[in-house]
Amino acid sequence: MSTRSLGPTGLDVHPVGLGCMGMSWGYAESQRDDEVSLAVIRQALDAGPVLLDTADAYGDGHNETLVGRALALAGRRHDAVVATKTGIVVDDLATRTLSRDGSPEHIRRSADASLKRLGVDVIDLYYLHRVDPAVPLQESWGALSELVRAGKVRHLGLSEVTREQAAAAHRVHPVAAVQSELSLWTREPLDPGTGISGWCAAHGAAFVPFAPLGRGFLTGRYTRPDDFEAGDFRATNPRFTGAAFTANLRITDAVRKVAARHDATAAQVALAWTLAQGGHVVPVPGTKQPRYLTDNLAAAALRLTAADLSDLDGAPAATGSRY
Ligand SMILES: NC(=O)c1ccc[n+]([C@@H]2O[C@H](COP(=O)([O-])OP(=O)(O)OC[C@H]3O[C@@H](n4cnc5c(N)ncnc54)[C@H](OP(=O)(O)O)[C@@H]3O)[C@@H](O)[C@H]2O)c1
């Protein structure tokens, strides 16, 4: 199995990780099943060092508890690579009302709560999920670096930050990874002037694309805007609704054409495109289904040609904003 080094952490991980969010949060609640989700996480643990991505906000602790249960069931607390996040507070789970809290007190408290839910002594990679505009980043990052000194966390990451924010944090404590949305329909992190992926490559940090499958859209699985149940984030998302949905199908068509050349799935092509953006890139596609995890992990072996990449890069830009 090929691996990629996760920034400066010394950890070698499968090139494709597993995003656990959808098992607890965000999409199609009627399709969530904890027992199947546990099987998916265990499948990832058996596939080698697959980066598991969770956060305390996903289901307000439910997702970390699920990951913790899978680690305990598999007896794999010590060799799993687990990333979680702090800094987003769930004010109301039913309506998914969120706020930010990057205060040192909140960070210390939530780290202890995450360790407990995950059932581990140390978190491999701990992200600040969002910068809190009410708290200077250096203050939040300082509190996070104290957690490293205390042995509760191994490495630190940031999510959805600018190059300037990453550089400011890096001066206080090394940034091991940055996580931002990157996929064929969200390419801003690759901007040569401002993109965060380039900053990561230049500073030895890993870049972790989230939603690399365009929240499922790029897999070609969805054909109509009303494919999403009430409460699913996509049911009201600008890219998945109305005329934007139809316009965006042209992106999926481009992915499908390349997939046909390789006898691969569209999901695999979408992931291989993110992997082709640099050796420092480790995407975390989300799934709660065993067959999709198998499909996604196999994308690491798919080699896109220069012509494939050119065709994919030439796919139309997305219609509609990300949120
Ligand atoms: N830092 C942040 O702010 C942030 C924000 C969003 C997400 N994330 C992280 O990134 C991870 C991935 O993002 P995401 O889950 O939002 O979006 P995603 O990975 O782009 O897409 C997930 C969707 O794709 C479907 N899918 C996965 N593999 C498939 C395959 N091979 N064939 C067909 N369909 C497939 C899933 O279906 P099923 O659910 O049916 O399996 C799900 O509906 C999350 O789990 C989370 O850990 C981080």
Side-chain angles (χ1 to χ4, degrees):
M1 184 194 77
S2 68
T3 56
R4 289 191 170 194
S5 56
L6 190 65
T9 64
L11 296 166
D12 289 323
V13 291
H14 194 290
V16 177
L18 171 62
C20 300
M21 181 185 81
M23 298 170 184
S24 310
W25 176 262
Y27 312 129
E29 187 175 357
S30 66
Q31 290 165 26
R32 286 183 215 143
D33 179 330
D34 284 359
E35 294 313 309
V36 179
S37 295
L38 286 171
V40 173
I41 301 168
R42 291 183 68 175
Q43 183 186 343
L45 291 168
D46 289 342
V50 171
L51 175 63
L52 299 177
D53 191 77
T54 179
D56 60 358
Y58 299 160
D60 200 12
H62 177 271
N63 203 238
E64 287 185 331
T65 302
L66 207 55
V67 172
R69 279 180 64 196
L71 295 178
L73 281 169
R76 302 289 285 278
R77 286 184 177 157
H78 301 295
D79 58 358
V81 181
V82 179
T84 190
K85 315 183 191 82
T86 181
I88 291 184
V89 177
V90 180
D91 297 317
D92 182 24
L93 187 58
T95 57
R96 282 209 301 271
T97 309
L98 308 175
S99 57
R100 297 183 187 189
D101 191 346
S103 66
E105 304 71 40
H106 175 75
I107 287 173
R108 281 193 286 273
R109 230 184 7 255
S110 57
D112 285 338
S114 290
L115 284 165
K116 199 164 166 205
R117 283 190 290 263
L118 291 165
V120 297
D121 301 327
V122 58
I123 294 164
D124 296 302
L125 177 58
Y126 201 36
Y127 292 98
L128 184 62
H129 207 157
R130 287 290 184 279
V131 175
D132 179 350
V135 179
L137 172 57
Q138 279 88 336
E139 230 174 82
S140 305
W141 198 249
L144 286 161
S145 67
E146 279 166 24
L147 294 173
V148 178
R149 282 193 288 282
K152 295 182 179 186
V153 168
R154 287 203 172 97
H155 304 282
L156 299 182
L158 288 161
S159 177
E160 298 250 279
V161 288
T162 62
R163 285 187 177 198
E164 291 68 30
Q165 289 172 320
H170 201 59
R171 284 194 286 274
V172 177
H173 186 97
V175 175
V178 179
Q179 174 167 140
S180 284
E181 183 166 353
L182 172 73
S183 70
L184 268 162
W185 76 354
T186 302
R187 303 183 211 173
E188 289 81 359
L190 302 178
D191 183 285
T194 58
I196 195 67
S197 177
W199 185 91
C200 290
H203 292 84
F207 178 67
V208 178
F210 77 69
L213 298 171
R215 303 182 186 270
F217 190 90
L218 300 170
T219 68
R221 200 173 139 195
Y222 304 110
T223 52
R224 292 182 328 206
D226 51 2
D227 272 342
F228 307 101
E229 65 190 48
D232 187 314
F233 164 83
R234 298 166 295 194
T236 53
N237 179 276
R239 288 188 180 177
F240 284 87
T241 40
F245 184 99
T246 310
N248 287 327
L249 288 174
R250 290 177 304 147
I251 309 174
T252 311
D253 288 343
V255 182
R256 275 216 187 93
K257 272 187 198 137
V258 173
R261 288 178 204 156
H262 292 272
D263 198 18
T265 64
Q268 289 172 333
V269 168
L271 292 175
W273 177 85
T274 66
L275 290 168
Q277 306 308 321
H280 64 300
V281 176
V282 180
V284 285
T287 184
K288 48 189 179 325
Q289 304 198 43
R291 70 180 194 280
Y292 290 157
L293 178 61
T294 304
D295 195 35
N296 297 344
L297 294 179
L302 176 59
R303 297 282 167 270
L304 297 176
T305 65
D308 296 333
L309 290 170
S310 159
D311 289 351
L312 292 168
D313 289 340
T319 301
S321 58
R322 293 198 292 137
Y323 286 99

